[in-house]
Amino acid sequence: MSEPESDLLQKEYWDLKYITGPLVFLSNGGRFPTGAILDLTLENGQVRQGQVLEATTTHAVVQILQGTQGIDIKGTAVSLRDEAAKMACSVDVIGRRFNGTGIPIDGLAPIVADEEREIGGSAINPVSRDKPNDFIETGVSAIDGFNTLVRGQKLPVFSGSGLPANELANMIVQQSRVRGDDEEFVVIFASMGLTAREADYFLRSFEEGGQGSRVVAFMNKADDPAIERLFAPRCALTVAEYLAFEKGYQVLVVLTDMTSYCETLRQISSAREEIPGRRGYPGYMYTDLSTIYERAGRIVGKKGSITQIPILTMPDDDITHPIPDLTGYITEGQIVLGRGLHRQGVFPPVDILPCLSRLMNNGIGKGRTQPWHREWANQLYASYARGRDVRKLMAIVGEDALTEIDKNYLRFAINFEKFMVGQGERRRDIDGTFELGWKLMGLLPRQELTRIKRETVEQFYKETTNADFH
Amino acid sequence: MQGPIIGKLSRISGPMIAADGMLGVGMGEIVRVGKMGLMGEVIRIDGETVYAQVYEDTSGMYLGEPVESLGTPLSVELGPGLLGMTYDGIQRPLITLQKSSGDFIARGLTAEPLDYVRKWAWTPTVKVGDSVTTGDFLGNVPETEFLKHYVMVPPNISGKIASIAGTGEYNIHETIATLDNGTQLTMTHKWPVKRPRPFRRKLPAVTPFITGQRVLDMLFPVVLGGSAIVPGGFGAGKTVVEQQISKFCNADIIVYVGCGERGNEMADVLDEFPHLTDPKTGGPLMNRTILVVNTSNMPVAAREASVYTGITLAEYYRDQGYDVAMMADSTSRWAEALREISSRLEEMPGEEGYPTYLSARLADFYERTGRIECLSTVNDTQAMRHGSLTLVGAVSPAGGDFSEPVTQNSMRVSGGFWALDAKLAYSRHYPSVNWNQSYSLYFKELQPWFRENAPKGWPERRQQAVDLLQKDTELQEIVQLVGPDALQDQERLILEISRMIKEVFLQQNAYSDDDAYSSLEKTGGLLEALMIFYEESQQAVQKGVHLTTILRHPSREEVARLREINSNGFMTKQKVVVDQVKAAMQGLIAAAV
Ligand SMILES: Nc1ncnc2c1ncn2[C@@H]1O[C@H](COP(=O)(O)OP(=O)(O)OP(=O)(O)O)[C@@H](O)[C@H]1O
Ligand SMILES: [Mg+2]
């Protein structure tokens, strides 16, 4: 958020008439434009910020960023700080730490803005978008082999409480490479409602991994004002757009935890007494989330890119909950963590069946990974799905009632989870992933592999047995 | 006529505004809001106050700013030059917006929908003294290499031709005809998007809307002039279905509306379509396509406009006698926009917060599809012509649950139900059309066509496959209780054949060079090969051949791999494989006895 323009004497009003939850109502709706940022000066001299959400002739609705505790109607003065919420952009933000509204909290000098940008952003013209197609090798087999990430994609991690989403995200941040490329990249990290421990984990890992100087962090922790959570991702993406499309950086934006973000959205909506949509979340949550997630991508003729990895916690591990549901409807796929795998000690516990990368096909294939990458992945996917069905069946009818071929699939699925998915913390490059995939396919009879071209099967297929994996 | 009505902004609430002092403004009229002149549409009138939904972001405006009525409803401009264009929801060409505001869309921009400089090679088809009325062709221009754009007498106009421009080059604003009553006609006219364009009458549908997707063409075919909905949770494959259909279907013109979806998907279409060929003409696919794009992060009110803009453009080409198909991805985002605006108006909500008029709006919209007899003077020179408008609407149900209002209400007014299934998608069974849940109400009407025009035995083979899949569903229930080993070989054979039907026939990879499109011949031929394999193995099992022996036989893989053969030359290979299967099974039988 920009500094107030102190040289201009701002006109003050004593307009407050009603306070509820995070909202303050002013008795005159006509003084400020919608979206404007206001300063509220309390009697004790403390200053808080608010944003105008709605204006009518009888009142204006203002959401207070730092909460309404302690604000009283009589002694609080309101003045205009800025016509819109803005963020100071400059390459000097790299390596710096801000609060959720973009004010530095690292004790260093304020940012000298090269440009002040409204954090709401505007939509990229669809005809200006360039096709994202640079393969990012994350070193995670479940992603690289089956749900490939490409530059400019938005690929969220759907987690459950207690599942190691942060560790996976960190692994991606630390280990990602784009082959044959040494372009400048920056990690932008927006934390929304993280516990101090989680937030520290990230910052420490960045330091240890040597990314510290290439990270821009927007920190809103669990005990920070909730409304600022609505600003943190927008500040982060404003900086991201500036760095990517003005300065040519490859930007990776990690947004966590989107569940906290959505809860704040719900809180505001209920304070405004809006008609709730599913499970109390506002009906416009899809639209609101899209104004965050759609700010990823590439632009024709520009060098930089914005890749987004939002992380969210599925309440009750329920993928149909509005938060993962609406996210999945906007993002370009999802990486889903599974509790069952986590319990078995598989790390990263990626449940690949519900995972998807919609841009995978742009990033793989001839000249990028392998010409047969897609078929290879489809075959392994289908075989794993079948193996899982067999496992379910076995739980009911017992192993003896299975056919020979079913038993093959069962063995395949078990080893797939254990070795392909459960790679541990070590990086595995894409060639290692491919090799392991072929080895796993060796557990199935050759004629089962009909999703792969015959020539390819002939070239790579080698029968294997369970013993080859131990 | 009085001057424009100018009022004052009295409320700003997200995409909805109110303005006072607007007495005399009508429902549905377009207003310019605030100093930026943002475009909006009047959706409620209360005394001298009007409420409008605004097609652009309203932040930064002050109460008291002017609101001006333009006195006209939201309309589109119709004429040559629409094909190949990419518009936003209110028919502004995105390329023009890019020129004026760069890579990010600014507010308050205006842009001409059609190129008014470009000259078109005009050929008149009427002469001075001819009586003409709505829908009559005045002449035509080659809009693309393969498509004649017929310039028609606009609705509600008739008279005698007083003058007509001779063969030559004209732009869209030059007068090409004058009527005896003084009316001057150009190659374009405007039409309000929320009013269906007139036609003489609806006709029964007779020909299928062929999609090149096996599961749809064989099991759940829709007619030209029909409608289908594609409901499915996120990632189930709705967009891919819409895009595949746009590429391969047998319509003359495609209007593709991206309503509240992703920017990258539109970029994909723009990247791909110009390089693909139109299966009907061999020209670039983009030349038969109009894109209307209002991505999720673009203003929510314009989503509603985008589907109406799209369908009006589609009707316009239908009126010229073409078969037009409109893809709407996703109609749920439009419904959500209605819900959002309705909630700002504090209307009494219906189910799940949607306005109570949701079902009426959807019904009116789907009613704009159909095969029609176009308006025109029917005499010796003006023959009767038919056009059709087919609609495929994606539906994005919350939580993937089809019991929600948008799916239910759309189902009631459309004839095809192509239900996508998350579980199939998870195992990479694409298109994830669930064969038990989906249906088409058109199948009966289409029987005669398929019998006459599709490969021989089409309806019988289809029935055979449907029966097998049905039997499979029943057997799977038993398997889930006692395991597959408890079944007889004949029954296990049914399970295996059904698995093959699913894997080889129903699945179709959109990214495969040779299988993304399946001609009717291939679709019929592939199913035939599978059924012959079934019949032959059934016999073999009867004669005592072990099921495992059959399943391990290389001829099974040959049948499975038939899918990889391109539609061109498919039948040649199919015949070879079918013979192989027959010989193989006879061999196995001979060895067994
Ligand atoms: N026929 C197909 N062949 C191959 N892959 C497919 C096919 N259909 C879908 N897919 C895969 O599934 C992914 C998701 O499909 P799609 O984008 O069409 O889903 P959707 O239903 O439109 O989802 P959303 O509602 O989130 O937009 C695609 O990116 C592609 O990887
Ligand atoms: Mg889609």
Side-chain angles (χ1 to χ4, degrees), chain B residues 509-525:
Chain B
N509 193 325
Y511 305 106
S512 156
D513 291 336
D514 292 315
D515 199 35
Y517 166 74
S518 185
S519 64
L520 285 190
E521 198 183 32
K522 175 171 176 181
T523 298

mmCIF file of all heavy atoms in Angstrom, chain B residues 509-525:
data_model
loop_
_atom_site.group_PDB
_atom_site.id
_atom_site.type_symbol
_atom_site.label_atom_id
_atom_site.label_comp_id
_atom_site.label_asym_id
_atom_site.label_seq_id
_atom_site.Cartn_x
_atom_site.Cartn_y
_atom_site.Cartn_z
ATOM 1 N N ASN B 509 -8.843 -40.112 -27.580
ATOM 2 C CA ASN B 509 -7.898 -39.105 -27.101
ATOM 3 C C ASN B 509 -7.882 -37.874 -28.012
ATOM 4 O O ASN B 509 -7.599 -37.963 -29.201
ATOM 5 C CB ASN B 509 -6.500 -39.726 -27.046
ATOM 6 C CG ASN B 509 -5.541 -38.856 -26.285
ATOM 7 O OD1 ASN B 509 -5.618 -37.632 -26.344
ATOM 8 N ND2 ASN B 509 -4.645 -39.489 -25.556
ATOM 9 N N ALA B 510 -8.170 -36.745 -27.415
ATOM 10 C CA ALA B 510 -8.248 -35.506 -28.179
ATOM 11 C C ALA B 510 -6.890 -35.083 -28.725
ATOM 12 O O ALA B 510 -6.815 -34.274 -29.644
ATOM 13 C CB ALA B 510 -8.813 -34.397 -27.302
ATOM 14 N N TYR B 511 -5.842 -35.611 -28.154
ATOM 15 C CA TYR B 511 -4.510 -35.185 -28.586
ATOM 16 C C TYR B 511 -3.871 -36.159 -29.561
ATOM 17 O O TYR B 511 -2.719 -35.995 -29.933
ATOM 18 C CB TYR B 511 -3.601 -34.989 -27.369
ATOM 19 C CG TYR B 511 -4.194 -34.029 -26.373
ATOM 20 C CD1 TYR B 511 -4.738 -34.475 -25.183
ATOM 21 C CD2 TYR B 511 -4.240 -32.663 -26.652
ATOM 22 C CE1 TYR B 511 -5.313 -33.593 -24.279
ATOM 23 C CE2 TYR B 511 -4.808 -31.775 -25.762
ATOM 24 C CZ TYR B 511 -5.349 -32.244 -24.570
ATOM 25 O OH TYR B 511 -5.912 -31.370 -23.696
ATOM 26 N N SER B 512 -4.631 -37.199 -29.928
ATOM 27 C CA SER B 512 -4.077 -38.171 -30.856
ATOM 28 C C SER B 512 -4.251 -37.666 -32.286
ATOM 29 O O SER B 512 -5.314 -37.208 -32.669
ATOM 30 C CB SER B 512 -4.809 -39.497 -30.671
ATOM 31 O OG SER B 512 -4.722 -40.261 -31.853
ATOM 32 N N ASP B 513 -3.196 -37.766 -33.074
ATOM 33 C CA ASP B 513 -3.287 -37.287 -34.460
ATOM 34 C C ASP B 513 -4.312 -38.088 -35.249
ATOM 35 O O ASP B 513 -5.014 -37.545 -36.087
ATOM 36 C CB ASP B 513 -1.924 -37.418 -35.153
ATOM 37 C CG ASP B 513 -0.922 -36.444 -34.567
ATOM 38 O OD1 ASP B 513 -1.373 -35.425 -34.001
ATOM 39 O OD2 ASP B 513 0.290 -36.719 -34.655
ATOM 40 N N ASP B 514 -4.360 -39.380 -34.977
ATOM 41 C CA ASP B 514 -5.181 -40.231 -35.824
ATOM 42 C C ASP B 514 -6.555 -40.549 -35.256
ATOM 43 O O ASP B 514 -7.411 -41.067 -35.943
ATOM 44 C CB ASP B 514 -4.427 -41.538 -36.110
ATOM 45 C CG ASP B 514 -3.210 -41.283 -36.979
ATOM 46 O OD1 ASP B 514 -3.348 -40.531 -37.968
ATOM 47 O OD2 ASP B 514 -2.125 -41.797 -36.659
ATOM 48 N N ASP B 515 -6.746 -40.259 -33.992
ATOM 49 C CA ASP B 515 -8.016 -40.674 -33.399
ATOM 50 C C ASP B 515 -8.843 -39.519 -32.827
ATOM 51 O O ASP B 515 -9.950 -39.739 -32.350
ATOM 52 C CB ASP B 515 -7.777 -41.736 -32.316
ATOM 53 C CG ASP B 515 -9.045 -42.524 -32.010
ATOM 54 O OD1 ASP B 515 -9.834 -42.756 -32.943
ATOM 55 O OD2 ASP B 515 -9.241 -42.878 -30.838
ATOM 56 N N ALA B 516 -8.326 -38.299 -32.883
ATOM 57 C CA ALA B 516 -9.091 -37.179 -32.331
ATOM 58 C C ALA B 516 -10.437 -37.072 -33.047
ATOM 59 O O ALA B 516 -11.441 -36.729 -32.453
ATOM 60 C CB ALA B 516 -8.303 -35.884 -32.473
ATOM 61 N N TYR B 517 -10.409 -37.404 -34.341
ATOM 62 C CA TYR B 517 -11.628 -37.388 -35.138
ATOM 63 C C TYR B 517 -11.934 -38.800 -35.620
ATOM 64 O O TYR B 517 -11.039 -39.497 -36.075
ATOM 65 C CB TYR B 517 -11.445 -36.457 -36.341
ATOM 66 C CG TYR B 517 -12.501 -36.614 -37.399
ATOM 67 C CD1 TYR B 517 -13.783 -36.125 -37.182
ATOM 68 C CD2 TYR B 517 -12.223 -37.250 -38.601
ATOM 69 C CE1 TYR B 517 -14.765 -36.279 -38.147
ATOM 70 C CE2 TYR B 517 -13.200 -37.402 -39.569
ATOM 71 C CZ TYR B 517 -14.478 -36.912 -39.339
ATOM 72 O OH TYR B 517 -15.448 -37.048 -40.291
ATOM 73 N N SER B 518 -13.171 -39.185 -35.486
ATOM 74 C CA SER B 518 -13.570 -40.501 -35.980
ATOM 75 C C SER B 518 -14.741 -40.305 -36.927
ATOM 76 O O SER B 518 -15.809 -39.851 -36.523
ATOM 77 C CB SER B 518 -13.960 -41.394 -34.797
ATOM 78 O OG SER B 518 -14.236 -42.704 -35.228
ATOM 79 N N SER B 519 -14.535 -40.654 -38.188
ATOM 80 C CA SER B 519 -15.623 -40.510 -39.165
ATOM 81 C C SER B 519 -16.708 -41.522 -38.830
ATOM 82 O O SER B 519 -16.468 -42.474 -38.102
ATOM 83 C CB SER B 519 -15.090 -40.778 -40.575
ATOM 84 O OG SER B 519 -14.667 -42.123 -40.655
ATOM 85 N N LEU B 520 -17.890 -41.325 -39.392
ATOM 86 C CA LEU B 520 -18.958 -42.296 -39.153
ATOM 87 C C LEU B 520 -18.521 -43.687 -39.588
ATOM 88 O O LEU B 520 -18.833 -44.683 -38.957
ATOM 89 C CB LEU B 520 -20.225 -41.898 -39.908
ATOM 90 C CG LEU B 520 -21.044 -40.747 -39.342
ATOM 91 C CD1 LEU B 520 -22.371 -40.651 -40.081
ATOM 92 C CD2 LEU B 520 -21.268 -40.881 -37.852
ATOM 93 N N GLU B 521 -17.758 -43.713 -40.664
ATOM 94 C CA GLU B 521 -17.293 -44.985 -41.182
ATOM 95 C C GLU B 521 -16.392 -45.677 -40.159
ATOM 96 O O GLU B 521 -16.534 -46.860 -39.869
ATOM 97 C CB GLU B 521 -16.534 -44.736 -42.484
ATOM 98 C CG GLU B 521 -16.388 -45.959 -43.326
ATOM 99 C CD GLU B 521 -15.556 -45.668 -44.577
ATOM 100 O OE1 GLU B 521 -14.643 -44.802 -44.511
ATOM 101 O OE2 GLU B 521 -15.820 -46.300 -45.608
ATOM 102 N N LYS B 522 -15.482 -44.901 -39.595
ATOM 103 C CA LYS B 522 -14.582 -45.485 -38.600
ATOM 104 C C LYS B 522 -15.364 -45.892 -37.353
ATOM 105 O O LYS B 522 -15.163 -46.977 -36.804
ATOM 106 C CB LYS B 522 -13.471 -44.501 -38.238
ATOM 107 C CG LYS B 522 -12.577 -45.017 -37.117
ATOM 108 C CD LYS B 522 -11.345 -44.158 -36.883
ATOM 109 C CE LYS B 522 -10.564 -44.709 -35.686
ATOM 110 N NZ LYS B 522 -9.377 -43.901 -35.385
ATOM 111 N N THR B 523 -16.243 -45.011 -36.923
ATOM 112 C CA THR B 523 -17.032 -45.305 -35.727
ATOM 113 C C THR B 523 -17.800 -46.610 -35.907
ATOM 114 O O THR B 523 -17.745 -47.502 -35.056
ATOM 115 C CB THR B 523 -17.997 -44.137 -35.445
ATOM 116 O OG1 THR B 523 -17.208 -42.968 -35.198
ATOM 117 C CG2 THR B 523 -18.878 -44.402 -34.250
ATOM 118 N N GLY B 524 -18.479 -46.726 -37.045
ATOM 119 C CA GLY B 524 -19.238 -47.944 -37.309
ATOM 120 C C GLY B 524 -18.317 -49.143 -37.465
ATOM 121 O O GLY B 524 -18.573 -50.219 -36.924
ATOM 122 N N GLY B 525 -17.228 -48.952 -38.179
ATOM 123 C CA GLY B 525 -16.306 -50.045 -38.473
ATOM 124 C C GLY B 525 -15.608 -50.569 -37.237
ATOM 125 O O GLY B 525 -15.371 -51.768 -37.089
#
